[in-house]
Amino acid sequence: PLWVKVVLVAGACLLALWLDAASTARWMQRAASEPAQLPSAETLQQLRDINLLALGLAPAVLVYHFFTLVRRQHLAMVRLALHDPMTQLFNRRHVQATGEALVAHLLDRPQGGPFSVVLLDVDHFKRVNDTWGHEIGDRALRHVADLISRTARTSDVVARWGGEEFLLLLADTDEAHALQLAERLRVAIAEDALVAQDQPVGLTVTIGVAQSLRAGSFAEVIRRADAALYEGKRQGRNRVVGASAVGTEAVPTDLAGV
């Protein structure tokens, strides 16, 4: 553990101090009793320099380990603030910040491409918990999270949105291409059952997809993706629905009447 290293380095500092003091005292005693057997002044200075070097290195190593500990703790706190502890995916806070940044980017660069939101919900998840218990339910969420991470592109932001809902934020992606990715996700999850107590636990998801509008907010994109998802639930679940196909492409309120 790092604290053991800190203790060892602190001990090394004290040892260096003691050795320097003991060496100085020993040479002083020899100078008083046997002046003829003393080494040259140059040799004594070299020994002194070695002691001082050791004395300087020990605190430097201690300071290095201290700042290493502080940095590790900082990174751990940042990870806790931005990630979901169960699935290790990004959390809602991070996605909202990233989505708002994408909206600002669109406003600053009108020629830039849109982004899309893929919102998915595990079908009948309460039934999984009631039938298999909450431990298997947690495993099911981690299983779905792993499948999403493996299917998504490296540029996509993958997050647990809340409960059994997951969200993907696709930069520079229109709805048509987002629908293709969403269908790959749906198929991957439906075809890869979780195994619990030597029995398969089939899982399916319903997915809503929405593309950003030029003047819309990130909350508006989420609302439209959510409306598409619930339309998919209404149609029978285990399907992908685009916002443009269910009339959720309504013009944002700030453009009403334009």
Side-chain angles (χ1 to χ4, degrees):
L2 191 57
W3 68 269
V4 174
K5 295 180 181 179
V6 172
V7 171
L8 290 175
V9 173
C13 291
L14 294 175
L15 179 61
L17 284 171
W18 179 82
L19 288 174
D20 184 62
S23 176
T24 301
R26 184 163 61 89
W27 290 117
M28 290 179 65
Q29 290 176 355
R30 291 192 65 178
S33 60
E34 305 175 43
Q37 298 184 13
L38 282 176
S40 65
E42 182 180 355
T43 302
L44 287 175
Q45 184 58 47
Q46 290 175 348
L47 291 173
R48 180 71 173 173
D49 291 343
I50 292 173
N51 285 339
L52 291 176
L53 178 62
L55 186 61
L57 285 177
V61 174
L62 180 62
V63 170
Y64 169 78
H65 280 292
F66 172 76
F67 282 105
T68 299
L69 175 62
V70 171
R71 182 174 180 274
R72 287 180 181 176
Q73 290 179 334
H74 173 73
L75 292 176
M77 292 176 63
V78 170
R79 181 167 184 82
L80 286 174
L82 299 180
H83 289 78
D84 171 61
M86 179 186 295
T87 63
Q88 300 305 308
L89 299 179
F90 285 117
N91 60 18
R92 191 182 189 113
R93 175 189 301 175
H94 178 73
V95 170
Q96 286 179 325
T98 305
E100 289 166 2
L102 286 174
V103 170
H105 181 71
L106 280 177
L107 294 176
D108 292 340
R109 297 181 59 188
Q111 72 279 11
F115 67 88
S116 292
V117 165
V118 174
L119 185 62
L120 63 90
D121 183 89
V122 180
D123 297 326
H124 300 298
F125 184 69
K126 184 178 183 301
R127 184 183 302 171
V128 174
N129 274 333
D130 293 343
T131 303
W132 298 94
H134 288 280
E135 181 179 351
I136 300 301
D138 291 347
R139 281 186 54 196
L141 292 177
R142 288 191 289 269
H143 180 71
V144 170
D146 182 60
L147 290 173
I148 295 172
S149 296
R150 283 191 278 156
T151 307
R153 306 168 303 183
T154 56
S155 60
D156 300 333
V157 177
V158 182
R160 184 183 180 194
W161 189 241
E164 63 270 24
E165 284 190 333
F166 297 86
L167 184 145
L168 290 85
L169 195 55
L170 316 181
D172 297 319
T173 305
D174 58 22
E175 185 178 298
H177 289 90
L179 285 169
Q180 294 175 10
L181 174 61
E183 179 60 18
R184 291 199 299 272
L185 287 170
R186 187 195 67 78
V187 172
I189 294 168
E191 292 183 348
D192 194 339
L194 173 70
V195 177
Q197 301 171 9
D198 296 325
Q199 298 183 51
V201 180
L203 299 168
T204 63
V205 293
T206 303
I207 306 178
V209 178
Q211 174 184 315
S212 61
L213 298 178
R214 182 63 58 188
S217 65
F218 182 61
E220 174 67 16
V221 183
I222 295 293
R223 185 195 67 77
R224 291 165 44 243
D226 194 52
L229 186 155
Y230 277 95
E231 175 61 20
K233 295 282 189 182
R234 190 189 68 79
Q235 293 179 12
R237 296 180 171 83
N238 190 24
R239 64 194 64 229
V240 177
V241 178
S244 59
V246 294
T248 58
E249 280 285 353
V251 177
T253 55
D254 58 350
L255 292 183
V258 177

